[in-house]
Amino acid sequence: MNLDIIDHAFSEAGALAKSQPHFRPRAAQQEMARAVATALQSNGTLVVEAGTGTGKTYAYLVPALLCGGRVIVSTGTKTLQDQLFDRDLPAVRAAFPMPIEAALLKGRANYVCRHHLERTQSEGRLHSREDVVALSKIATFAERSASGDKAECTDVPDDSRIWQSVTSTRDNCLGSDCKHYDNCFVISARKAAMKAEIVVVNHHLFFADLALKDEGIAELLPACNAVIFDEAHKLPEAATLFFGAQTTSGQLIELARDIELTIRAQAKDAVDVVTYANDIGLATRKLRLTLGTTPFKKPHFDALDRDGVREALDALVTAVALCEGALEPQAQRSEDLGLLLARTTQLRQALLSWLNAADDGTIRWLEVNAGNYVLHATPFSIADIFSKQREGNAKAWIFTSATLSAAGSFDHFSSQLGLIDATCATWESPFDYARQAVLYVPAAQFPLPSAPEHTDAVIEESVALVCANGGGSFLLFTSHRALKAAAEKVPDMLKAAGQDRLVLTQGQAPKHELLSQFRNAGNAVLLGSQSFWEGVDVQGDALSLVVIDKLPFAPPDDPVLAARLKNLEDNGGNAFAQWQLPQAAITLKQGAGRLIRSETDRGVLAVMDTRLVDKGYGKHLQKSLPPMARTRNSEGVRKFLTSLRNSTPST
């Protein structure tokens, strides 16, 4: 395809300008679109960092449509997936009316399962009146819906526990043996995807399918011409999760419950199986008690060295094996029982594999939370695994995000995915950061993050900045301990200062509700951690101050990180320079990106960590931040915030 077609599409006289009154040509967007079109035509690998406001979504969607062929577009979250499919893609297709089919494909847990819906209705064993009401609403939705996508069932919250009972998993799906197979929402979505030229998925589905060969991507991939990853900075984490394995206490408890319910409904005479299922539940809970009440993450051998852990894990394996033996003679009585036997076998094998810990390039570790535990088997590196997925597939691979580089280098991102053949490019944000924003770092005497008084100092300085700020404020923390301390102190400190502000804290309501309240208030304060560092878009005065408590270096207690850093050091590398620093730079850039979201936004980014200025590596991190005006003057930055109250940004 002639690149002049791309240039014209993004010009003042082009199709986008004609179909969208507010469209304005942007040189960076046009240049990125040309790079994407070139990669699509040459089956190239392209890594693109496009700053906020570049318009990267259109910059890859327009070439994807105009170049022809089948394209898979994968997003970092289901929220962006829905936005892309419901808003951005229709807008582009309206500008370029072509006979192109598009499909939205999600993981099976997002679709109502008619079999499990019927089963839940017939069992009548719900926990509350709310569950009964929600089940009735879902049943009505399933009768009327063409897609069965739970995102369209707005009467029932996305996080309602009833969804677990009316959706399927890879383990409990009956497949072609199900009587509803010909009318299955999941199968219908897959069939639509197989016919479409543009298929919109998310990273979790993409990698889950590559690892499990379950959701239809494995069938789509060989036949497509290109894969485009938006929010590509999330890819290494998503790939690591799905090319690894996790065995959880929740899986074991759910297995025991499902066996009991199914036996009582379909094989009432097999009472011994119920007894063995109950034993799985008891052994699962006993192991949790043995692990203690304090959350932790421990490498495999360190975890097994704790008193009683190995014995409790051995007992759990025995309980699962005994139940497996008792369930085997019953498996032929129904499809459900056959699936339960397969799940039991798989969990026994996973437990044994983790317990025996073969030297196979896998990092095995134990994670204990407040109410559960997870046995992890994480690949040491996903670069070779992902490279093998790309081998033999003659297609374009495009990776884009606002945050892929560290101090101008893509080495950290590319090395994680084995993208040694990639063309890398950066287009800066069109925003005038020097005029619109100020970066504030406290003076040298401010307590270091290692000091016990650091969190209190951050809270005190943050409250002073909030009081000067007429708009809304994000106070972002790198640890839940610091977040908890802020949640306890900030509301009272603001009241004492005469500030009548709405204070919202991560976890007190679903994220979308908190953001809605925050936007509507106009001058609210939101206390958050990692969940609000990325994927959040608040424009205007509703967000004019973002505070980050300290540089976001990964916690040293992460067994996977520790193993990877040790490997770097053992092979003559510099773990800090090659991994910790670039990863912190990318994460810091994500947090900073919450502040300026449009050409008229103005505000302050406050990083309460003097190392950003006083340490040599701080200069490396600063290179990854937008070119904001900079200050260490506390009084001056408060005056700047106060000046924003009565000023009207120039356009």
Side-chain angles (χ1 to χ4, degrees), residues 610-638:
T610 59
R611 295 176 298 173
L612 184 60
V613 176
D614 296 338
K615 295 291 185 181
Y617 59 77
K619 295 181 177 62
H620 180 94
L621 294 171
Q622 288 187 52
K623 290 179 181 177
S624 296
L625 293 174
M628 304 175 178
R630 297 176 183 184
T631 183
R632 302 192 77 175
N633 186 310
S634 178
E635 182 179 352
V637 80
R638 290 199 296 271

Side-chain angles (χ1 to χ4, degrees), residues 396-550:
W397 295 82
I398 295 164
F399 306 80
T400 184
S401 170
T403 54
L404 291 179
S405 70
S409 172
F410 291 89
D411 289 351
H412 181 63
F413 173 78
S414 296
S415 64
Q416 290 183 82
L417 295 175
L419 304 178
I420 58 175
D421 58 338
T423 298
C424 300
T426 300
W427 280 277
E428 301 291 346
S429 169
F431 300 153
D432 185 357
Y433 282 99
R435 179 185 62 83
Q436 293 179 250
V438 171
L439 170 63
Y440 167 62
V441 179
Q445 63 267 28
F446 195 83
L448 287 168
S450 57
E453 63 271 21
H454 177 259
T455 296
D456 286 340
V458 169
I459 293 171
E460 183 177 349
E461 182 73 357
S462 298
V463 168
L465 294 174
V466 168
C467 290
N469 181 33
S473 307
F474 269 10
L475 308 187
L476 303 178
F477 297 88
T478 54
S479 72
H480 288 286
R481 180 193 59 78
L483 174 59
K484 182 179 178 182
E488 292 172 351
K489 296 179 180 181
V490 168
D492 291 338
M493 292 174 70
L494 287 173
K495 286 180 182 178
Q499 294 282 320
D500 182 18
R501 304 266 187 147
L502 173 65
V503 180
L504 303 165
T505 303
Q506 178 180 323
Q508 71 183 44
K511 182 177 177 179
H512 66 90
E513 289 185 19
L514 291 177
L515 285 172
S516 177
Q517 293 180 56
F518 183 84
R519 291 189 181 98
N520 292 335
N523 67 346
V525 179
L526 191 147
L527 311 176
S529 62
Q530 189 67 37
S531 179
F532 287 89
W533 278 64
E534 56 184 278
V536 175
D537 188 1
V538 180
Q539 297 186 15
D541 293 340
L543 180 58
S544 51
L545 170 64
V546 173
V547 177
I548 294 174
D549 71 331
K550 61 182 178 181

Side-chain angles (χ1 to χ4, degrees), residues 195-217:
K195 297 177 182 178
E197 284 88 0
I198 304 288
V199 184
V200 182
V201 301
N202 59 68
H203 301 343
H204 280 244
L205 172 62
F206 186 90
F207 285 111
D209 183 68
L210 287 186
L212 303 173
K213 302 291 186 290
D214 181 52
E215 301 289 352
I217 300 296

Side-chain angles (χ1 to χ4, degrees), residues 6-13 16-17 20 22-34 50-59 62 87-88 92 427-431 539 597-599:
I6 296 294
D7 290 342
H8 181 69
F10 288 92
S11 70
E12 291 183 357
L16 290 169
Q20 300 178 29
H22 299 293
F23 177 83
R24 296 291 181 271
R26 283 169 277 188
Q29 185 181 47
Q30 185 183 72
E31 291 168 11
M32 178 180 165
R34 287 174 63 94
T52 306
T54 303
K56 62 183 171 63
T57 306
Y58 280 19
V62 171
R87 189 189 72 183
D88 298 329
V92 172
W427 280 277
E428 301 291 346
S429 169
F431 300 153
Q539 297 186 15
R597 307 298 299 179
S598 75
E599 291 86 350

